[in-house]
Amino acid sequence: MALLELYTEYNRVWIPDAEHVWKSAEIMRDFHFGDNVLELLLEDGTEHYYPVDPSKPQLPPLRNPDILVGENDLTALSYLHEPAVLHNLRVRFVESRIIYTYCGIILVAVNPYKQLPIYGDAIIHAYSGQNMGDMDPHIFAVAEEAYKQMARNHKNQSIIVSGESGAGKTVSARYAMRYFAVVSKSGSKTRVEDKVLASNPVTEAIGNAKTTRNDNSSRFGKYTEISFDRKYRIIGANMRTYLLEKSRVVFQADNERNYHIFYQMCSCAHLPEFKNLRLLSADKFRYTCMGGDITIEGIDDKKDMDETRQTFSLLGLKEDFQSDVFKVLAAILHLGNVEIRNSGDDKSSPSDPHLAVFCELLGVNAEGLVRWLCHRRIVLVAETVVKPMPKKRAVNARDALAKQIYAHLFDCIINRINTALKVPGKQHAFIGVLDIYGFETFDINSFEQFCINYANEKLQQQFNLHVFKLEQEEYMKEDIPWTLIDFYDNQPVIDLIEAKMGILDLLDEECLFPQGTDQSWLQKLYNYLDANPLFEKPRLSNEAFVIQHFADKVEYQCKGFLEKNRDALYEELVDIMRASKFPFLASFFQEEEQSTVTSKGVKVRPARPGVKPANKQLRTSVGDKFRSSLSLLMETLNATTPHYVRCIKPNDEKLPFEYDSSRVVQQLRACGVLETIRISAQSYPSRWTYIEFYSRYSILMLYQEADLNDKKQTCKIVLQRLIQDPNQYKFGRTKIFFRAGQVAYLEKLRLDRLRGACIIIQKHVRGWSQRRKYLRMREAAIILQQYIRGKRTVRKTVTAATLKQAWAAVVIQRHFRGYRMRQIYQVVRLASITIQAFTRGWIARKRYKKMMEEQKALVLQKYARAWLARRRFQTMRRLVLNVQLSYRVQKLRKKIEEQNKENRGLVERLTSLANTHSQTVDRLQGVEAQLEKSTNQKASLEAREKKVKEDATLVVDESILGRIAENNIEIQRQDHEKEVETLKGEIKRLKEERVSLHRKIEEGGQVNSDLQEQVIQLTKHVKVIPELRRDLNNLQNQRNNMDRKMKQQSEQARAKMTEITRQLLGGVVEEEVLLGLTPDDSEKIYEVEDLLAAFEGLQKATRILESHQREQKETYETQLEGLKLKVDHLQNENSKLQNLFQEKSNVNENIRQEVSRLSSENSVIPELKLQVSEVQRQKRELEAHVEEQKRELAEKAEDYISSARRKKVTTFAFSFQDFEEQLDQRDRLIKRLQNQIKSLETSQKAKQTSSPAIPKDYLGMLEYKREDEPRLIQNIILDLRPKGVVVNMIPGLPAYILFMCVRHADYLNDEVKLKSLMNAIISAVKKVIMSHHKDFDLLSFWLSNTYQLLNCLKQYSGEEEFMKQNTPRQKKNCLQNFDLSEHRQILSDLAIHIYHQFITVMEKSLTPAIVPGMLEHESLQGISSMKPTGFRKRSNSIYEDSDTHTISSIIQQLSVFHFTMTQHGMEQGLIKQAVKQMFFLVGATTLNNIMLRKDMCSCRKGMQIRCNISYLEEWLKEKDLQSSNAIDTLRPLSQAAWLLQVNKSTDEDAKEITEKCTELNSVQIVKILNSYTPIDDFEKRVTSSFVRKVQSLLQDREGSTQLMLDTDYRFQVTFPFSPSSQALELIQVPNSLHLGFLTRI
């Protein structure tokens, strides 16, 4: 279709406008060829008539459909022209707040003058690995494309960032380098990527300054080469600089500043380290106060100085170097304050204290400096003349010296940075980032602008050639005939500047003349270049010239060109600087004699060898050096693959998101964007893949054309029908190429078809609605007619009599109906009362019956409880009586012994009393004899007295003697009387004592007789005690005999076990193992576990077990009869003892106390009592055991094996429960061993008689030798592969096998073996995981087994919290000797590591399918949202059917994950955690792509996302995983999809959005609203006012402000304890595992 035919009614066009450059208008009437005017309607409602030349109509450019506005790539627009580009950028920048847009191979970056949250590490990782067209335009996408092409094509890359001052070039270059630093970590300790980023603050401090257009304008060009090794990791960097603006050191325009470093130093002048520099405030130095403003709003120079010094240190530039740099910079400031005065005609002299400071800081000679600042040496043929200079030239010499010193310092710092960025290692490839000035045109343009525009001409030429080359490659790849495209070639402008006799050549020539001036050089330009059409002479000026650059005409003022090109510094000043005592400064000027003393941006190899000048006057000019370095730069760029970033400054006021169309279009023309558009528009600018075209325009296809099998042919047929002119499109291999306007025409056809379909739908809906309304009205009318007609008929037919009859009939009916209702009511009432009566009676009877039952139950309970209480009391009473009997028997026995002792004492006492009595009788006889003697003496004395009296009469003298003798006799008589009285008392006492002794003797005899009677009676009873002792001795002898028999049988069992083990394991294990199974220590008795294991291992048949039970039954019955007899005998003896105790209960209290004291020494009777009770209990247990065995013999043989073992163990345990309290463990084992030996003998006999084999009964342990441990680890861990093995064995079999080996090591109490095994297991699992860290099946397998092994270690640890759900057998299988809690912790850490690696592998497998499946695939057919993709999707067609991922791909992959985890027996809790993590990945990745892909923010895409979420939810229900809360992780995505579908226009909508989007933060909500893109003309864009309204409602919302979700986030994994019901003893080791060296015990 011809373009002229598109100018129809309702279409819109762009017309020029003085204020907005272009404005939109709508066509009011179709335009026909020959019309001289185009009728338009402007947006403000006014009509406009656009004049048109009928012969050659130049119509205004057409406006693109609204659905194409706001595209990511400008080349996707149907109409490619300047107004379309300008409008598209404006919509994206102002309405959508998007600053990046593609224009073919160019990334257009509009400076927002505001910090945006789109540069975080999460954004970097989101763009890493993505194709350039898959995501929204971004500087990171360009950097990723460069990095990817470098790695894929092994070719160096370049990113060319250009734009005018203030457009954001420096920031863009900085972000590009930051991207490389993040995605290509060096991995070395040098952290070279940090150094590369740290170089930016330093270079900005010494090379950036504030200008009228930019607060941080780069005043030099910089090309940074970032070097990569073969693994594409950063190993270093190198910077080249171009054309430093040295003049800014000595001069700044109004509202501008010098370089930042000067102001940073002045802000820190008070610091101690800067005191010696004698710095002042910035407004006190001439070089820093020229622009008037010494501060920048929002910038803290002191803080920036700290950052600069920190980066110096990070780069390895030490404090000494920094001090030297600051000293030179301070000297430059002081030099600027040196005042030069006139001292006469054409003479000048400096006089300022700053000069002394300058000389002191730099260590130069003050006198020499003063002299050569004001004088000049002129060398003549015969002599040398020193001539004073005028003030102006002296000031110029001072400024030239300052500029030269600063230029040398700049070069020195750059060289030192390059040295710091060099890292040992060979460079494999590099990516260069060129941050260079864009095309500049000011009111006054000088030498700097001339060089900048010259560089941009060269870059534009390279850009045009590259675009042309890419366009040609695209056509050739698609097999489309290539037609030569006319594009602008700026080679004539370049020739005008750099060719022979060009501007630079004439400038260098004029500089050779000492008397050359700017005016003379300009005159030469007029003379030589006047004929060149690109060179013009201004009409109103003789001091300027005009060059027609590719972007615009620029007028250059010639003033200062020669001086700046020469950049001369007098040789005398150079010598003074060279002779400086400050080595750092002197090194600046210590150059070879052939070298120049002038400055250059960086020491680079010239593009061509330079000609050695004939003398010092033939120095290389600045223009020549710049041309050489520019040539070298172009060679570098031509050897790399370029990527272009064009930075645009939206307004001059630096206001955020303000768009000045006139300024933007000026920059678009200057940076080559419009030239790219023009080249694309000349051929086939619109390019669609066949799938895109089929999806978008299937609505235009006829039913016969819609062939799903061959979509490519279908597209060709449809397009040939819709567009008749074949020259308007071309069919390529994968794409369809359209001329300009054809896509808009197709959109018009599509819109017309949709509009027609809408009209048809509206027609039918409205017709159906009207018919439905009509039918309702008709039906209502008919009903009204019926009522009206009926009422009218009634009125006509009804009379007064009829009314009376009708009224009477009504009255009769009323009464009759009342009667009938009363009758019915009475019947119903009677029935209700009857039912109630019966019901209440039934309820009462039921309640009475229940109460009776309860009462009877209470009575029964009362009697039962009373009976039980009496029974308990009688039992307790019998027990107490038995205890009392035992106690009293003991007391009696002791009493007898004590009585015997006392009898013996009494006899002895009686004997002593008899002896005493005889002695007393002897004494009495002696006293009687003495008494008689005394009587005789008394009688003799009386006779003598009489004789004396008779003789007294004879002699008188004899009377005195007689009285004396009488007195003596009287005294002697008294003495004898006293003695007689004493003897009488003694005799009386002895008689009394004798009487008492006789009494005692009588009492003792009585006692003796009583005791003899008691002894006689007790002797009768004591005769029973020897019998009991004999029984006890017999039992003891039986036990000793049993002990000896047990030892003998133990030896026999040991020999039999050895023989059986050899028969079972013959040839499999070595002799040492067999010897280890049968120890030589004959004294050692088998442990319970060993005997049970032997019993379980050797019992073969149910029949033999039955015969064994019959034999046992007979033995038990025999023993029972003997025990019954013994019990009867003991009971009889007990009754006798009780009777004896009752008869002797009246023994006196003293004997009772003595017996009580000695009762504790006797233990014979309690032992007999315990024996009696034990025998009784054994009797009951044996009877119960016999009955139980009878019942169990009827069960199945397989069930009987395990139950018989438990019964025998239980029987043994209960049979000897009381003996365990008195005997030690050895006696207990002897009894068990006896029964087990019998079982072994029976099993051996059964084997010898060739009985049918019975399955073995195992202990759940596996035995292995220490030397077999490496084989075990190798076969069960290192060489084991889950595929082909797991299917045929139980899940977690390796874990069970390993744990059974651990159990055996614990059973042997071998700590070394156990620790060695556990360490080997952990190390082997780690090795497998490290070696196969990308194998999903293996990771799943070992995660499941590690978790199962961890559960086994917990379940069988013996800890109560883990044993609650264990079976009795599992409780018995617990570890006995070692605590493996430390190994459990290590295993838990290992399981966590495996889980995270497992999740990582799943994420890598699932990630490629998420975005295509959740976003790009059309899960809902018929609502296609595909739109043109532009240039960036041309290199790879992502819509090929064969490689397209769908939501089914995601579900299928999830199902594979779930099946594998389930097959490996992974615990359900772990599966739920893994699924939840995968769902979070799906939701986060999808949401992040929505945030970074404007083309995905549409209503239809929201419908598809919600549909896909429903599929995922159904999958969760199908797999019974709803409790995993995985669907909750998709809530942010679900809310984002809802936000795309909901209305977004009113205040209620804004409030609803803020209330429902609780999982999205404010940044994400605003981003989605700004990125919302209509797919059809029926949809509306979100207005800026609505977005601001939502923002105001969200401003108080707290939470994260990050745009992206962290896809690397991991939910905390937990390993819940899940006990296994698997019986270890039933596990068999498959032969496929090659573990024949393991022995089941």
Side-chain angles (χ1 to χ4, degrees), residues 977-1031:
E977 288 178 358
K978 291 179 180 179
E979 186 176 359
V980 169
E981 291 296 330
T982 302
L983 291 172
K984 286 179 180 181
E986 181 68 23
I987 290 170
K988 185 179 180 181
R989 187 183 61 79
L990 288 174
K991 286 179 179 181
E992 292 175 357
E993 186 176 3
R994 180 179 179 182
V995 172
S996 65
L997 287 174
H998 280 292
R999 193 184 302 114
K1000 288 182 179 180
I1001 289 170
E1002 291 175 359
E1003 291 177 358
Q1006 184 66 32
V1007 171
N1008 284 333
S1009 61
D1010 294 339
L1011 289 175
Q1012 285 175 0
E1013 291 177 2
Q1014 292 178 7
V1015 167
I1016 292 169
Q1017 293 176 1
L1018 290 173
T1019 303
K1020 294 177 182 179
H1021 298 290
V1022 168
K1023 292 178 181 179
V1024 181
I1025 293 175
E1027 295 178 3
L1028 296 175
R1029 284 182 176 175
R1030 283 195 299 274
D1031 292 340

Side-chain angles (χ1 to χ4, degrees), residues 860-876:
L860 290 175
Q861 288 176 355
K862 179 181 68 176
Y863 283 102
R865 288 168 181 167
W867 177 78
L868 290 174
R870 285 194 298 274
R871 184 179 177 185
R872 283 195 299 270
F873 170 74
Q874 290 171 1
T875 303
M876 185 63 67

Side-chain angles (χ1 to χ4, degrees), residues 328-347:
V328 173
L329 292 172
I332 293 174
L333 291 178
H334 286 291
L335 180 61
N337 278 15
V338 173
E339 185 179 355
I340 299 178
R341 301 175 181 174
N342 285 322
S343 59
D345 296 339
D346 296 334
K347 293 181 181 181

